[in-house]
Amino acid sequence: MSARIEHKSSRPRRDRLYEIIFEADTPAGKWFDLMLIVLVLLSVLTVMLDSVASIHAQHGRGLLALEWCFTILFTIDYILRLLCVGRPLRYAVSFFGLVDLLAIIPTYLSPLIYASRYLSVVRILRVLRIFRILKLGKHTKEAGVLRAALYASRRRIVVFLCFVLTLVVIIGSLMYLIEGPANSGFTSIPQSVYWAIVTLTTVGYGDISPQTPLGQFLASIVMVLGYSIIAVPTGIVTVEWSQATMRKQTPARTCPTCGAGGHDIDARYCKFCGADL
Amino acid sequence: MSARIEHKSSRPRRDRLYEIIFEADTPAGKWFDLMLIVLVLLSVLTVMLDSVASIHAQHGRGLLALEWCFTILFTIDYILRLLCVGRPLRYAVSFFGLVDLLAIIPTYLSPLIYASRYLSVVRILRVLRIFRILKLGKHTKEAGVLRAALYASRRRIVVFLCFVLTLVVIIGSLMYLIEGPANSGFTSIPQSVYWAIVTLTTVGYGDISPQTPLGQFLASIVMVLGYSIIAVPTGIVTVEWSQATMRKQTPARTCPTCGAGGHDIDARYCKFCGADL
Amino acid sequence: MSARIEHKSSRPRRDRLYEIIFEADTPAGKWFDLMLIVLVLLSVLTVMLDSVASIHAQHGRGLLALEWCFTILFTIDYILRLLCVGRPLRYAVSFFGLVDLLAIIPTYLSPLIYASRYLSVVRILRVLRIFRILKLGKHTKEAGVLRAALYASRRRIVVFLCFVLTLVVIIGSLMYLIEGPANSGFTSIPQSVYWAIVTLTTVGYGDISPQTPLGQFLASIVMVLGYSIIAVPTGIVTVEWSQATMRKQTPARTCPTCGAGGHDIDARYCKFCGADL
Amino acid sequence: MSARIEHKSSRPRRDRLYEIIFEADTPAGKWFDLMLIVLVLLSVLTVMLDSVASIHAQHGRGLLALEWCFTILFTIDYILRLLCVGRPLRYAVSFFGLVDLLAIIPTYLSPLIYASRYLSVVRILRVLRIFRILKLGKHTKEAGVLRAALYASRRRIVVFLCFVLTLVVIIGSLMYLIEGPANSGFTSIPQSVYWAIVTLTTVGYGDISPQTPLGQFLASIVMVLGYSIIAVPTGIVTVEWSQATMRKQTPARTCPTCGAGGHDIDARYCKFCGADL
């Protein structure tokens, strides 16, 4: 952001390329962004389809060619971005700069390490940028409120995760002792801890499940516990969110005459003493 | 709605048929609506039962006859609606007009495409109209509040869904790389993305489940993540809802001087013109 | 309740038996209630254990004898209640009167219909009465708030359930058409609707799961939908609850001098004009 | 806490050892705590890895030696704590004193009862203490708010759990009668109650699932019920939390005349004595 502002002031007649690639105010910029989002989604689809054995067998060569086309296009885009931006290094180490780089590396590594090419799906993260660039003003604000709510409740979330971790380790160990000998699923404590997480989060695959009455009894307690404490993160975020929204609505305006607060954002007169705000 | 109002003004002595079919103020209109809702539920039940192999083998002919009876009745109802309504075209392209048409088409197509008849269950959507027509005033308002809350939080929901989509694509690809060779379930990236959705939403079928320690570790993170971010849509809707309800409750006080509304319950002076309330 | 009040006024020297059985103010009444709750839990445990094949084979006769003992005790209790209460008929048709009757009938029917004896677990509902009789004042109030919140949001819950019903019927039929021929699980529309409910509620047994790519795609949408709309009932109850709690806290007291409202429950002077409340 | 305060007053020149072990204000104390948390996590990891058959076969001896090292270190720590604290008995029976003792006992018992050693994972609870000792002031307050919210809603949670217990016993018994003869899963009422809990909490393992149409119909109702009443604990905690947070935010205004606090933000007169605020 600051790089861009500086760029504006240092070079008043802005580069047309910069406008097209980094901004979305002009028709050309909008078309460029729209094209890019479509290319990103298509290229992710290409990688995904290529991983399906039957499709790979039939269209493997075509998909590989397509993937290289996309990668070369994204490489050109990356180089152009580096060239036209004011401070290339700052861009290169920014979140989206790194995503742009990570989006092309896996394909170039694929001749060496074959599996690496599937990592190129990480380029779907570019969709998030397009999202911001498209000036979906409102959406960005929403994302901001969400981020703020999550940030404000980070400590509560840490407390909650510590509690959950302690819980699943102890429950997993108990279940290993109870079910271990009788059940083929609870083969070790890590495996039992995995089961405890699957159960506590109410996912419940069923690949490992208790067989002894005591194990089923303990599992029942874990389920009711998981079902109940799901309330905790919900409560955390809801309360934060609620307050963040309210705070936005009621700025701390006080009446210069009587000193009363709690005025609405659109109030022009104090609602208690009638003085001009 | 507007079609009906116009109809009222243009033809003062309203058609009795229109009253019976479209309104529910008269006893005849109420009976007609009640009968229709029973017929809709019975016809959906007929189609559902006919899809059960053992019942189809024994009562297939009878159920087919029943289905045709229902379809003919609904066709007559549809034609009558077109005839007695003021603007037939406006009705035909309205939501309920389309539902009424879709409710009868599948059966008529069934001699050509056999499976199409099962699509006639779409007529269960007619139940929603009966619901409105029955003048369940309060219920309609509730549905309105719900719709308003969902509409007000549409941007947050879009942000949330984009985030979830990005997450499952990246997690799915990682799991394909980790579990792919060792596990018979993670055969392709789309399949792994499907598994990621099943896990993140805490559904957890268990038809595909990680077997390697690293896969189980990543799966555990996905589960705790899914368990936690379930809070986000809940928070979104709860907050919206809460505000929508409160807004409704704030008594509509208007200023006697400037006529502005939206004053707080404890305001003594108009916040817009400063006059005494 | 009213039967009991009438009883008080009509017979001033109350029956000691009535006091012990129906009330919990005296030590004798408390001991009777406590004994009853233990007996109810023990008798339910007896029935549950007897249903386990291995335990039935070994201790079947003893458990049967125990069950008959409990049933005879509950029968005596029921007869005594009928004798000592003011209006026996009113008690007999009340919720707890019916529960008391249902608690003993299944055992008496068991010589005729063997399976009926398992229905005697319905006597666990008697625990709810003990709960009330034990004068857990606070707990009863909590249950009241909960009941009030659920009652206040009954219309929203009906709207929500109608929406869910419509959704699962349409999704189930679509999945039957998509997965039907290829998958052994989706054998009929009712079975597919059952699958849709299992998926939408995020239970996810996995006994039926989609196999075709299109089916898995539709299932993914259903899961995200289910994961999102779980917010709706949560939002409904939370908002209701929040308001019910707030309403309890701020009774509508208005100042007799200035007419302002919103005073706290413990306020003695108007917070706006300072007048005596 | 009080033991520590007394300790301070009785012995003004505090023991350096006490400072290092029990406090985290000095660099030495911080390093000691940090080292302890790492040791606890490493020792829990040792026990967990040792339970994996393949690792035990290869590195069993090394892990056993490591575990004894950790146990001896924790024993020394426990003895030092007893020696340097003011009131050893009060520490020994405190929550963290008991955890410290339980963290070392299982290993000493392992030569007698082999399985007991896995119980030593209970030492992960020591992590919670470190958490407090590390003076994560904010975090501790968060945990306090959470504890307060849970404590304030304890009665509602008891009511909710009683309701769930009654529900699963009755549903389990009904399912046993319906599915019992046809299905290999519902072998007894306790097993069916276990299934009811698995379903109601939306865990859904799928190891037991209904096969008959009537059983699937009842199961569908249980699922929708479970999906809906998950709202109740969420609502409980969210409302409590919201109020606890708001109470904390209400600025502590006190009346200059009578000294009473708890006035609303918009109050102009003391609500207890009527004086001007």
Side-chain angles (χ1 to χ4, degrees):
Chain A
M1 226 25 163
S2 65
R4 191 180 123 195
I5 290 161
E6 191 191 337
H7 178 81
K8 267 187 197 169
S9 51
S10 61
R11 284 198 285 170
R13 47 179 275 282
R14 300 227 310 272
D15 198 351
R16 180 150 169 73
L17 197 63
Y18 178 87
E19 238 177 66
I20 292 171
I21 295 178
F22 279 93
E23 308 206 352
D25 297 326
T26 57
K30 266 191 191 144
W31 276 106
F32 182 82
D33 286 335
L34 214 66
M35 204 188 64
L36 200 63
I37 200 171
V38 170
L39 283 182
V40 166
L41 290 177
L42 281 178
S43 75
V44 169
L45 201 70
T46 305
V47 177
M48 285 175 75
L49 287 179
D50 191 47
S51 73
V52 181
S54 62
I55 295 175
H56 180 78
Q58 243 185 314
H59 309 285
R61 295 189 79 125
L63 290 170
L64 188 66
L66 255 177
E67 201 191 319
W68 276 102
C69 287
F70 286 126
T71 306
I72 287 162
L73 281 174
F74 292 143
T75 309
I76 294 169
D77 170 75
Y78 184 66
I79 292 167
L80 286 179
R81 278 172 196 274
L82 280 176
L83 290 178
C84 76
V85 84
R87 294 186 169 190
L89 202 72
R90 185 174 279 190
Y91 160 71
V93 298
S94 73
F95 174 70
F96 282 113
L98 288 173
V99 167
D100 291 350
L101 188 61
L102 283 173
I104 52 176
I105 288 181
T107 314
Y108 288 115
L109 287 181
S110 63
L112 300 170
I113 312 145
Y114 185 72
S116 82
R117 61 189 299 228
Y118 297 123
L119 285 174
S120 63
V121 294
V122 88
R123 60 179 64 148
I124 202 169
L125 281 173
R126 296 194 76 179
V127 169
L128 293 179
R129 176 213 239 135
I130 295 303
F131 185 69
R132 198 176 70 172
I133 292 178
L134 274 175
K135 301 264 187 260
L136 300 170
K138 281 285 191 176
H139 288 82
T140 318
K141 210 160 69 187
E142 295 301 324
V145 172
L146 176 53
R147 210 179 309 125
L150 287 176
Y151 182 79
S153 50
R154 68 192 181 288
R155 287 193 303 268
R156 291 180 174 176
I157 288 169
V158 167
V159 171
F160 179 70
L161 289 181
C162 278
F163 174 71
V164 167
L165 182 75
T166 308
L167 204 67
V168 294
V169 167
I170 291 174
I171 289 169
S173 306
L174 274 178
M175 284 303 279
Y176 172 66
L177 289 179
I178 294 169
E179 289 280 325
N183 190 317
S184 59
F186 296 82
T187 52
S188 67
I189 293 182
Q191 188 85 354
S192 300
V193 169
Y194 166 72
W195 168 86
I197 294 170
V198 169
T199 302
L200 198 75
T201 55
T202 77
V203 170
Y205 284 135
D207 51 348
I208 314 168
S209 64
Q211 304 296 336
T212 63
L214 188 58
Q216 293 186 339
F217 180 73
L218 187 59
S220 299
I221 292 171
V222 174
M223 285 168 212
V224 173
L225 209 63
Y227 188 65
S228 298
I229 64 173
I230 206 171
V232 175
T234 307
I236 293 169
V237 176
T238 305
V239 170
E240 270 320 316
W241 201 304
S242 183
Q243 284 178 359
T245 315
M246 280 180 189
R247 226 172 287 135
K248 212 176 62 190
Q249 284 183 337
T250 56
R253 284 173 71 189
T254 50
C255 172
T257 309
C258 72
H263 300 294
D264 287 347
I265 203 160
D266 56 355
R268 290 194 302 163
Y269 295 93
C270 172
K271 63 183 176 179
F272 297 111
C273 71
D276 221 311
L277 280 177
Chain B
M1 226 26 163
S2 66
R4 189 180 123 197
I5 290 160
E6 191 191 338
H7 178 79
K8 266 187 196 170
S9 51
S10 62
R11 285 197 284 171
R13 49 178 275 283
R14 299 228 310 272
D15 200 352
R16 181 152 168 72
L17 198 65
Y18 179 87
E19 239 177 66
I20 293 172
I21 295 178
F22 279 93
E23 307 207 351
D25 297 326
T26 58
K30 265 191 189 144
W31 275 106
F32 182 82
D33 286 336
L34 214 67
M35 204 187 64
L36 200 64
I37 202 171
V38 170
L39 282 182
V40 166
L41 289 177
L42 281 178
S43 75
V44 169
L45 201 69
T46 304
V47 176
M48 285 175 75
L49 287 179
D50 191 47
S51 72
V52 181
S54 62
I55 294 176
H56 180 78
Q58 242 185 315
H59 308 286
R61 295 187 78 125
L63 290 170
L64 188 67
L66 256 177
E67 202 189 321
W68 276 101
C69 286
F70 287 126
T71 306
I72 288 162
L73 281 174
F74 291 144
T75 310
I76 293 168
D77 170 76
Y78 184 66
I79 293 168
L80 285 180
R81 278 173 196 273
L82 280 175
L83 290 179
C84 75
V85 84
R87 294 184 168 191
L89 202 73
R90 185 175 278 191
Y91 159 72
V93 298
S94 72
F95 174 69
F96 282 113
L98 288 172
V99 166
D100 292 349
L101 187 62
L102 283 172
I104 51 174
I105 288 180
T107 314
Y108 288 116
L109 288 181
S110 63
L112 299 170
I113 312 146
Y114 184 74
S116 82
R117 61 190 299 228
Y118 297 123
L119 286 173
S120 64
V121 294
V122 86
R123 61 179 63 150
I124 202 168
L125 282 172
R126 296 194 77 180
V127 169
L128 294 178
R129 174 213 239 135
I130 295 304
F131 184 68
R132 199 176 70 173
I133 292 178
L134 275 174
K135 301 263 186 260
L136 299 170
K138 280 286 193 178
H139 288 81
T140 318
K141 211 160 70 187
E142 295 302 324
V145 172
L146 176 54
R147 209 179 309 126
L150 288 175
Y151 182 79
S153 49
R154 69 192 180 288
R155 287 193 301 267
R156 291 180 174 177
I157 289 169
V158 168
V159 171
F160 178 71
L161 289 181
C162 278
F163 174 70
V164 166
L165 181 76
T166 307
L167 205 67
V168 294
V169 167
I170 291 174
I171 290 168
S173 306
L174 274 177
M175 285 303 280
Y176 172 66
L177 289 179
I178 294 169
E179 289 280 325
N183 189 317
S184 59
F186 296 82
T187 51
S188 67
I189 294 183
Q191 189 85 355
S192 300
V193 169
Y194 166 72
W195 168 86
I197 294 170
V198 168
T199 301
L200 197 76
T201 56
T202 77
V203 170
Y205 283 135
D207 51 349
I208 313 168
S209 66
Q211 304 296 336
T212 63
L214 188 58
Q216 292 185 341
F217 180 73
L218 187 60
S220 299
I221 291 170
V222 175
M223 283 168 213
V224 173
L225 209 64
Y227 188 65
S228 299
I229 64 172
I230 204 171
V232 176
T234 306
I236 293 170
V237 176
T238 305
V239 170
E240 269 321 314
W241 200 305
S242 182
Q243 285 177 1
T245 315
M246 280 179 187
R247 229 172 285 136
K248 212 178 62 190
Q249 284 184 338
T250 309
R253 282 175 71 190
T254 50
C255 172
T257 310
C258 72
H263 300 294
D264 287 347
I265 204 160
D266 55 354
R268 292 197 304 164
Y269 296 95
C270 173
K271 63 185 178 180
F272 297 112
C273 71
D276 221 310
L277 281 176
Chain C
M1 226 24 165
S2 65
R4 190 180 123 197
I5 289 161
E6 191 192 336
H7 178 80
K8 267 187 195 169
S9 51
S10 62
R11 285 197 285 171
R13 49 180 274 282
R14 298 226 312 271
D15 200 350
R16 181 151 168 73
L17 197 63
Y18 179 86
E19 238 177 67
I20 293 173
I21 296 179
F22 278 92
E23 308 207 352
D25 298 325
T26 58
K30 266 192 190 141
W31 275 106
F32 181 82
D33 286 335
L34 216 66
M35 204 187 64
L36 200 63
I37 202 171
V38 170
L39 282 182
V40 165
L41 289 177
L42 281 178
S43 74
V44 169
L45 203 70
T46 305
V47 176
M48 286 174 75
L49 287 179
D50 191 47
S51 73
V52 182
S54 61
I55 295 175
H56 180 78
Q58 243 185 316
H59 308 286
R61 295 189 78 125
L63 290 171
L64 187 67
L66 255 177
E67 200 190 320
W68 275 101
C69 287
F70 286 126
T71 305
I72 287 163
L73 281 174
F74 291 143
T75 310
I76 294 169
D77 170 74
Y78 184 65
I79 292 168
L80 285 180
R81 276 171 199 274
L82 279 176
L83 289 179
C84 76
V85 84
R87 294 184 169 192
L89 202 72
R90 185 174 277 192
Y91 159 71
V93 297
S94 74
F95 174 70
F96 282 114
L98 288 172
V99 166
D100 291 351
L101 187 61
L102 283 172
I104 50 175
I105 287 179
T107 315
Y108 288 114
L109 288 181
S110 63
L112 299 170
I113 313 146
Y114 185 74
S116 81
R117 62 189 298 227
Y118 297 123
L119 286 174
S120 64
V121 294
V122 87
R123 61 178 63 149
I124 202 169
L125 281 172
R126 297 194 77 179
V127 169
L128 293 178
R129 173 212 241 136
I130 295 304
F131 185 68
R132 199 176 67 171
I133 292 179
L134 274 175
K135 302 262 185 261
L136 299 171
K138 280 286 194 179
H139 287 80
T140 318
K141 210 160 70 188
E142 295 300 326
V145 172
L146 175 53
R147 210 180 308 127
L150 288 176
Y151 182 79
S153 49
R154 70 192 180 287
R155 287 192 302 268
R156 290 179 175 178
I157 289 170
V158 167
V159 172
F160 179 70
L161 289 182
C162 278
F163 174 69
V164 166
L165 181 75
T166 307
L167 205 66
V168 294
V169 166
I170 292 174
I171 290 169
S173 305
L174 273 178
M175 286 303 279
Y176 172 66
L177 289 179
I178 294 169
E179 289 279 326
N183 190 317
S184 59
F186 295 81
T187 51
S188 66
I189 294 183
Q191 188 85 355
S192 300
V193 169
Y194 166 72
W195 167 86
I197 294 171
V198 169
T199 301
L200 196 76
T201 56
T202 77
V203 170
Y205 283 134
D207 51 349
I208 314 170
S209 65
Q211 304 297 335
T212 63
L214 188 58
Q216 292 186 340
F217 180 73
L218 186 59
S220 299
I221 292 171
V222 175
M223 284 168 212
V224 172
L225 208 64
Y227 188 65
S228 298
I229 63 171
I230 204 170
V232 175
T234 307
I236 292 170
V237 177
T238 305
V239 170
E240 269 321 314
W241 200 304
S242 182
Q243 286 178 358
T245 315
M246 280 180 189
R247 227 172 287 136
K248 212 177 63 191
Q249 286 181 336
T250 56
R253 283 173 72 189
T254 50
C255 172
T257 309
C258 72
H263 301 293
D264 288 346
I265 203 160
D266 56 354
R268 290 193 302 163
Y269 294 94
C270 173
K271 62 184 178 181
F272 297 111
C273 71
D276 220 311
L277 281 176
Chain D
M1 226 25 164
S2 65
R4 190 180 124 197
I5 290 160
E6 191 191 339
H7 178 80
K8 268 187 194 168
S9 51
S10 61
R11 285 198 285 172
R13 49 180 274 283
R14 300 229 308 273
D15 200 350
R16 179 150 170 72
L17 197 63
Y18 179 86
E19 238 177 67
I20 293 172
I21 295 178
F22 279 92
E23 307 206 353
D25 297 327
T26 58
K30 267 193 188 140
W31 276 106
F32 182 82
D33 285 336
L34 215 66
M35 205 188 63
L36 201 64
I37 201 171
V38 170
L39 282 182
V40 165
L41 289 178
L42 281 178
S43 76
V44 168
L45 202 69
T46 305
V47 176
M48 284 175 75
L49 287 179
D50 191 47
S51 73
V52 182
S54 62
I55 295 176
H56 180 77
Q58 242 185 316
H59 309 286
R61 294 188 79 124
L63 290 171
L64 188 66
L66 256 177
E67 201 192 320
W68 276 102
C69 288
F70 287 126
T71 306
I72 287 162
L73 281 174
F74 291 144
T75 309
I76 294 169
D77 169 75
Y78 184 66
I79 292 167
L80 285 180
R81 277 172 197 274
L82 280 176
L83 289 178
C84 76
V85 84
R87 293 184 169 192
L89 202 72
R90 186 174 277 192
Y91 159 72
V93 298
S94 72
F95 174 70
F96 282 114
L98 288 172
V99 166
D100 292 350
L101 188 61
L102 282 172
I104 52 175
I105 288 181
T107 314
Y108 288 115
L109 287 182
S110 62
L112 298 170
I113 312 146
Y114 184 73
S116 82
R117 62 189 298 228
Y118 297 122
L119 286 173
S120 64
V121 293
V122 87
R123 60 179 63 148
I124 201 168
L125 282 172
R126 296 194 77 179
V127 170
L128 293 179
R129 175 214 239 131
I130 296 304
F131 184 68
R132 199 177 68 171
I133 292 178
L134 275 175
K135 302 263 185 259
L136 299 171
K138 280 284 193 180
H139 288 80
T140 318
K141 210 161 68 189
E142 295 301 325
V145 172
L146 176 53
R147 209 180 311 125
L150 287 176
Y151 182 78
S153 50
R154 70 193 180 288
R155 286 194 302 268
R156 290 179 174 179
I157 289 170
V158 167
V159 171
F160 179 70
L161 289 181
C162 277
F163 174 70
V164 167
L165 181 76
T166 307
L167 205 66
V168 294
V169 167
I170 291 174
I171 290 169
S173 305
L174 273 178
M175 285 302 280
Y176 172 66
L177 289 179
I178 295 169
E179 289 280 325
N183 190 316
S184 59
F186 296 81
T187 52
S188 66
I189 293 182
Q191 189 85 355
S192 300
V193 169
Y194 166 72
W195 167 86
I197 294 170
V198 168
T199 301
L200 197 75
T201 56
T202 77
V203 170
Y205 283 135
D207 50 349
I208 314 169
S209 65
Q211 304 296 336
T212 63
L214 188 58
Q216 293 186 341
F217 180 73
L218 187 59
S220 299
I221 291 171
V222 175
M223 284 168 212
V224 173
L225 209 64
Y227 187 66
S228 298
I229 64 172
I230 205 171
V232 176
T234 307
I236 293 170
V237 176
T238 305
V239 170
E240 268 322 314
W241 200 305
S242 182
Q243 285 179 359
T245 315
M246 279 179 189
R247 228 171 285 135
K248 215 177 60 188
Q249 285 183 338
T250 308
R253 282 174 72 191
T254 49
C255 171
T257 309
C258 71
H263 300 294
D264 286 348
I265 204 158
D266 56 355
R268 293 198 302 163
Y269 295 94
C270 172
K271 63 184 177 181
F272 297 111
C273 71
D276 221 310
L277 281 176

